[in-house]
Amino acid sequence: MKKPWIALLVLLTISCVEKNEYYTLDDFDKVDKIDTHIHVFADRNSFVNQAKKDNFRLLNIMVDLSKGEELIKEQYDYCLAQKKGHPEDYEFATSFSIEDWDNPDFTKNTIAWLDKSFEEGAIAVKVWKNIGMVFRDKDNELIMVDNPKLDTIFDYLASKKIPLVGHLGEPKNCWLPLDEMTTNNDRKYFSEHPQYHMYQHPELPSYEEQIAARDRMLEKHPDLVFIGAHMGSLEWSVDELAKRLDKFPNMSIDLAARMGQVFYQTVENREKVRAFFIKYQDRLLYATDLSDDGEKNVGEMQKDMHKMWLTDWRFFVTDELMASDLVNEEFRGLKLPKEAVDKIYFQNAKKWLKMFPTNGI
């Protein structure tokens, strides 16, 4: 029979080992973190002030909404001002308008614009779902991301080792009727944005065609550093996502606005999801898609930011039973090892996006 003090020593040892291997909820504001996908197009400091409280740094991402160069430049001015005002808290990703697609100088003009962006501090380039889902050329042909006209731009980015952040396609739910979607956030978004609800637009490319075009683009540009925004539009299956990460070694993904699908898969098979996050911990970047357009109530916005960041932290670092309005069933947190959490929340942003290379973090 073991002596009581030996049993106590064993328990204390186990407790110390676990404390060294895992974070807790209380570690949230003590650990350096980066949110690699936010949109702040406002001249106020409300967003960054909350980020500082929660120990987050930020990648501010521009978006080409097919509304021309004027909107691109407006977003750019906001991003540049935030970066200059808070250089230790913000990096930014530029974008380019494709409204001038039919201009013979489109490629030359785009590269000139990107050069200016990089000289002024941009660290990445964003392409959006208007490529593949919205924009058409003068012949009314839909432009897909593997269009040869884009090759020169992507080769240019690869040569400069500038990452491309790609929101290409949409969640697979986008091609389903609302009542068959797997997450409440998708159901809400596509009910409010029917122009992007592909179930209502069978004349447009299918989900499979969107993913195939993206994959063909990556096959043509193996040296391009590519970050698949929103889990690379493969949010519905960690198995499918693993296949792409295995096939494309220069591809990583961010988690922006897709935690609902992660929760949904965790309900179905927590151990599979946990194994995926551990195996591919070097390829996953924490992100939310939080935004500030300058019109939101500051108090409510900051409360929502903190709630989302804290909920996600709880999911990744504990094994507590959780609920979310994104899904309809309870699920248990993944309780990832510290090493994986540090990579997902911080180190991968520095590795894949070269964020904050000189400020000592």
mmCIF file of all heavy atoms in Angstrom, residues 22-30 309-315 317-318 320 322:
data_model
loop_
_atom_site.group_PDB
_atom_site.id
_atom_site.type_symbol
_atom_site.label_atom_id
_atom_site.label_comp_id
_atom_site.label_asym_id
_atom_site.label_seq_id
_atom_site.Cartn_x
_atom_site.Cartn_y
_atom_site.Cartn_z
ATOM 1 N N TYR A 22 -0.202 22.908 -20.627
ATOM 2 C CA TYR A 22 -1.460 23.488 -21.088
ATOM 3 C C TYR A 22 -1.676 24.872 -20.495
ATOM 4 O O TYR A 22 -1.297 25.141 -19.358
ATOM 5 C CB TYR A 22 -2.640 22.596 -20.703
ATOM 6 C CG TYR A 22 -2.579 21.213 -21.293
ATOM 7 C CD1 TYR A 22 -2.064 20.143 -20.569
ATOM 8 C CD2 TYR A 22 -3.035 20.974 -22.596
ATOM 9 C CE1 TYR A 22 -1.993 18.870 -21.110
ATOM 10 C CE2 TYR A 22 -2.967 19.706 -23.149
ATOM 11 C CZ TYR A 22 -2.447 18.657 -22.401
ATOM 12 O OH TYR A 22 -2.375 17.410 -22.959
ATOM 13 N N TYR A 23 -2.321 25.730 -21.294
ATOM 14 C CA TYR A 23 -2.774 27.010 -20.776
ATOM 15 C C TYR A 23 -4.122 26.829 -20.083
ATOM 16 O O TYR A 23 -4.788 25.797 -20.231
ATOM 17 C CB TYR A 23 -2.923 28.029 -21.906
ATOM 18 C CG TYR A 23 -1.623 28.535 -22.475
ATOM 19 C CD1 TYR A 23 -1.305 28.356 -23.815
ATOM 20 C CD2 TYR A 23 -0.713 29.224 -21.668
ATOM 21 C CE1 TYR A 23 -0.117 28.842 -24.348
ATOM 22 C CE2 TYR A 23 0.484 29.711 -22.191
ATOM 23 C CZ TYR A 23 0.768 29.510 -23.527
ATOM 24 O OH TYR A 23 1.943 29.995 -24.045
ATOM 25 N N THR A 24 -4.542 27.865 -19.368
ATOM 26 C CA THR A 24 -5.867 27.893 -18.759
ATOM 27 C C THR A 24 -6.597 29.146 -19.235
ATOM 28 O O THR A 24 -6.016 30.005 -19.915
ATOM 29 C CB THR A 24 -5.786 27.913 -17.227
ATOM 30 O OG1 THR A 24 -5.264 29.196 -16.803
ATOM 31 C CG2 THR A 24 -4.872 26.808 -16.697
ATOM 32 N N LEU A 25 -7.843 29.264 -18.832
ATOM 33 C CA LEU A 25 -8.619 30.447 -19.172
ATOM 34 C C LEU A 25 -7.973 31.702 -18.590
ATOM 35 O O LEU A 25 -8.013 32.777 -19.201
ATOM 36 C CB LEU A 25 -10.052 30.291 -18.651
ATOM 37 C CG LEU A 25 -11.135 31.134 -19.318
ATOM 38 C CD1 LEU A 25 -11.216 30.854 -20.815
ATOM 39 C CD2 LEU A 25 -12.484 30.883 -18.654
ATOM 40 N N ASP A 26 -7.344 31.561 -17.435
ATOM 41 C CA ASP A 26 -6.719 32.711 -16.768
ATOM 42 C C ASP A 26 -5.496 33.237 -17.510
ATOM 43 O O ASP A 26 -5.038 34.353 -17.247
ATOM 44 C CB ASP A 26 -6.318 32.336 -15.336
ATOM 45 C CG ASP A 26 -7.531 32.111 -14.444
ATOM 46 O OD1 ASP A 26 -8.606 32.639 -14.767
ATOM 47 O OD2 ASP A 26 -7.396 31.402 -13.426
ATOM 48 N N ASP A 27 -4.967 32.444 -18.428
ATOM 49 C CA ASP A 27 -3.786 32.876 -19.184
ATOM 50 C C ASP A 27 -4.141 33.778 -20.361
ATOM 51 O O ASP A 27 -3.243 34.301 -21.034
ATOM 52 C CB ASP A 27 -3.025 31.654 -19.727
ATOM 53 C CG ASP A 27 -2.390 30.831 -18.611
ATOM 54 O OD1 ASP A 27 -1.781 31.435 -17.715
ATOM 55 O OD2 ASP A 27 -2.521 29.590 -18.650
ATOM 56 N N PHE A 28 -5.414 33.965 -20.622
ATOM 57 C CA PHE A 28 -5.870 34.640 -21.836
ATOM 58 C C PHE A 28 -5.162 35.961 -22.084
ATOM 59 O O PHE A 28 -4.606 36.197 -23.158
ATOM 60 C CB PHE A 28 -7.383 34.853 -21.773
ATOM 61 C CG PHE A 28 -7.921 35.724 -22.861
ATOM 62 C CD1 PHE A 28 -7.966 35.272 -24.176
ATOM 63 C CD2 PHE A 28 -8.392 37.004 -22.594
ATOM 64 C CE1 PHE A 28 -8.455 36.083 -25.195
ATOM 65 C CE2 PHE A 28 -8.889 37.814 -23.594
ATOM 66 C CZ PHE A 28 -8.920 37.355 -24.905
ATOM 67 N N ASP A 29 -5.182 36.846 -21.117
ATOM 68 C CA ASP A 29 -4.609 38.176 -21.366
ATOM 69 C C ASP A 29 -3.119 38.255 -21.071
ATOM 70 O O ASP A 29 -2.513 39.317 -21.189
ATOM 71 C CB ASP A 29 -5.368 39.253 -20.582
ATOM 72 C CG ASP A 29 -5.362 38.998 -19.082
ATOM 73 O OD1 ASP A 29 -4.770 37.990 -18.640
ATOM 74 O OD2 ASP A 29 -5.953 39.804 -18.342
ATOM 75 N N LYS A 30 -2.514 37.120 -20.718
ATOM 76 C CA LYS A 30 -1.076 37.100 -20.416
ATOM 77 C C LYS A 30 -0.246 36.630 -21.613
ATOM 78 O O LYS A 30 0.964 36.866 -21.665
ATOM 79 C CB LYS A 30 -0.805 36.173 -19.220
ATOM 80 C CG LYS A 30 -1.541 36.551 -17.943
ATOM 81 C CD LYS A 30 -1.213 35.564 -16.825
ATOM 82 C CE LYS A 30 -1.971 35.867 -15.542
ATOM 83 N NZ LYS A 30 -3.429 35.606 -15.673
ATOM 84 N N TRP A 309 -13.079 36.578 -28.709
ATOM 85 C CA TRP A 309 -11.691 36.174 -28.444
ATOM 86 C C TRP A 309 -11.605 35.233 -27.241
ATOM 87 O O TRP A 309 -10.868 34.245 -27.280
ATOM 88 C CB TRP A 309 -10.833 37.421 -28.218
ATOM 89 C CG TRP A 309 -10.437 38.130 -29.478
ATOM 90 C CD1 TRP A 309 -10.336 37.598 -30.734
ATOM 91 C CD2 TRP A 309 -10.066 39.507 -29.604
ATOM 92 N NE1 TRP A 309 -9.923 38.553 -31.630
ATOM 93 C CE2 TRP A 309 -9.743 39.736 -30.976
ATOM 94 C CE3 TRP A 309 -9.963 40.571 -28.705
ATOM 95 C CZ2 TRP A 309 -9.327 40.973 -31.449
ATOM 96 C CZ3 TRP A 309 -9.547 41.815 -29.186
ATOM 97 C CH2 TRP A 309 -9.238 42.012 -30.546
ATOM 98 N N LEU A 310 -12.342 35.523 -26.182
ATOM 99 C CA LEU A 310 -12.278 34.697 -24.980
ATOM 100 C C LEU A 310 -12.930 33.335 -25.203
ATOM 101 O O LEU A 310 -12.430 32.310 -24.728
ATOM 102 C CB LEU A 310 -12.945 35.423 -23.809
ATOM 103 C CG LEU A 310 -12.763 34.790 -22.423
ATOM 104 C CD1 LEU A 310 -11.277 34.722 -22.053
ATOM 105 C CD2 LEU A 310 -13.552 35.567 -21.370
ATOM 106 N N THR A 311 -14.036 33.302 -25.939
ATOM 107 C CA THR A 311 -14.697 32.028 -26.238
ATOM 108 C C THR A 311 -13.782 31.113 -27.032
ATOM 109 O O THR A 311 -13.666 29.912 -26.732
ATOM 110 C CB THR A 311 -16.002 32.275 -27.023
ATOM 111 O OG1 THR A 311 -16.904 33.037 -26.217
ATOM 112 C CG2 THR A 311 -16.675 30.966 -27.406
ATOM 113 N N ASP A 312 -13.130 31.662 -28.045
ATOM 114 C CA ASP A 312 -12.229 30.844 -28.860
ATOM 115 C C ASP A 312 -11.045 30.351 -28.029
ATOM 116 O O ASP A 312 -10.613 29.188 -28.169
ATOM 117 C CB ASP A 312 -11.726 31.646 -30.063
ATOM 118 C CG ASP A 312 -12.824 31.955 -31.068
ATOM 119 O OD1 ASP A 312 -13.919 31.360 -30.965
ATOM 120 O OD2 ASP A 312 -12.590 32.805 -31.956
ATOM 121 N N TRP A 313 -10.513 31.220 -27.183
ATOM 122 C CA TRP A 313 -9.412 30.810 -26.299
ATOM 123 C C TRP A 313 -9.849 29.657 -25.407
ATOM 124 O O TRP A 313 -9.129 28.662 -25.264
ATOM 125 C CB TRP A 313 -8.957 32.003 -25.462
ATOM 126 C CG TRP A 313 -7.854 31.700 -24.492
ATOM 127 C CD1 TRP A 313 -7.977 31.436 -23.149
ATOM 128 C CD2 TRP A 313 -6.440 31.614 -24.767
ATOM 129 N NE1 TRP A 313 -6.762 31.205 -22.582
ATOM 130 C CE2 TRP A 313 -5.794 31.311 -23.555
ATOM 131 C CE3 TRP A 313 -5.682 31.790 -25.928
ATOM 132 C CZ2 TRP A 313 -4.410 31.167 -23.466
ATOM 133 C CZ3 TRP A 313 -4.302 31.636 -25.832
ATOM 134 C CH2 TRP A 313 -3.682 31.327 -24.618
ATOM 135 N N ARG A 314 -11.015 29.773 -24.825
ATOM 136 C CA ARG A 314 -11.554 28.706 -23.973
ATOM 137 C C ARG A 314 -11.654 27.399 -24.748
ATOM 138 O O ARG A 314 -11.315 26.334 -24.225
ATOM 139 C CB ARG A 314 -12.929 29.123 -23.446
ATOM 140 C CG ARG A 314 -13.586 28.099 -22.525
ATOM 141 C CD ARG A 314 -14.989 28.557 -22.156
ATOM 142 N NE ARG A 314 -15.684 27.571 -21.350
ATOM 143 C CZ ARG A 314 -16.999 27.523 -21.188
ATOM 144 N NH1 ARG A 314 -17.758 28.453 -21.769
ATOM 145 N NH2 ARG A 314 -17.555 26.587 -20.450
ATOM 146 N N PHE A 315 -12.109 27.464 -25.989
ATOM 147 C CA PHE A 315 -12.247 26.261 -26.808
ATOM 148 C C PHE A 315 -10.901 25.593 -27.055
ATOM 149 O O PHE A 315 -10.774 24.373 -26.988
ATOM 150 C CB PHE A 315 -12.898 26.628 -28.145
ATOM 151 C CG PHE A 315 -12.961 25.495 -29.130
ATOM 152 C CD1 PHE A 315 -13.818 24.427 -28.927
ATOM 153 C CD2 PHE A 315 -12.158 25.499 -30.265
ATOM 154 C CE1 PHE A 315 -13.881 23.369 -29.837
ATOM 155 C CE2 PHE A 315 -12.210 24.458 -31.179
ATOM 156 C CZ PHE A 315 -13.074 23.395 -30.961
ATOM 157 N N VAL A 317 -7.972 25.947 -25.293
ATOM 158 C CA VAL A 317 -7.087 25.629 -24.166
ATOM 159 C C VAL A 317 -7.743 24.799 -23.067
ATOM 160 O O VAL A 317 -7.037 24.285 -22.194
ATOM 161 C CB VAL A 317 -6.474 26.903 -23.544
ATOM 162 C CG1 VAL A 317 -5.803 27.760 -24.601
ATOM 163 C CG2 VAL A 317 -7.480 27.704 -22.739
ATOM 164 N N THR A 318 -9.067 24.628 -23.068
ATOM 165 C CA THR A 318 -9.717 23.821 -22.041
ATOM 166 C C THR A 318 -10.478 22.670 -22.686
ATOM 167 O O THR A 318 -10.692 22.636 -23.901
ATOM 168 C CB THR A 318 -10.714 24.642 -21.176
ATOM 169 O OG1 THR A 318 -11.964 24.770 -21.870
ATOM 170 C CG2 THR A 318 -10.155 26.015 -20.840
ATOM 171 N N GLU A 320 -13.541 22.030 -21.402
ATOM 172 C CA GLU A 320 -14.848 22.284 -20.800
ATOM 173 C C GLU A 320 -15.970 22.068 -21.808
ATOM 174 O O GLU A 320 -15.787 22.234 -23.009
ATOM 175 C CB GLU A 320 -14.911 23.726 -20.285
ATOM 176 C CG GLU A 320 -13.937 24.014 -19.154
ATOM 177 C CD GLU A 320 -13.918 25.494 -18.773
ATOM 178 O OE1 GLU A 320 -14.752 26.260 -19.317
ATOM 179 O OE2 GLU A 320 -13.077 25.881 -17.952
ATOM 180 N N MET A 322 -19.022 23.278 -23.740
ATOM 181 C CA MET A 322 -19.316 24.638 -24.196
ATOM 182 C C MET A 322 -20.578 24.666 -25.052
ATOM 183 O O MET A 322 -20.998 23.652 -25.608
ATOM 184 C CB MET A 322 -18.141 25.193 -25.012
ATOM 185 C CG MET A 322 -16.836 25.288 -24.269
ATOM 186 S SD MET A 322 -15.478 25.905 -25.326
ATOM 187 C CE MET A 322 -16.091 27.541 -25.780
#
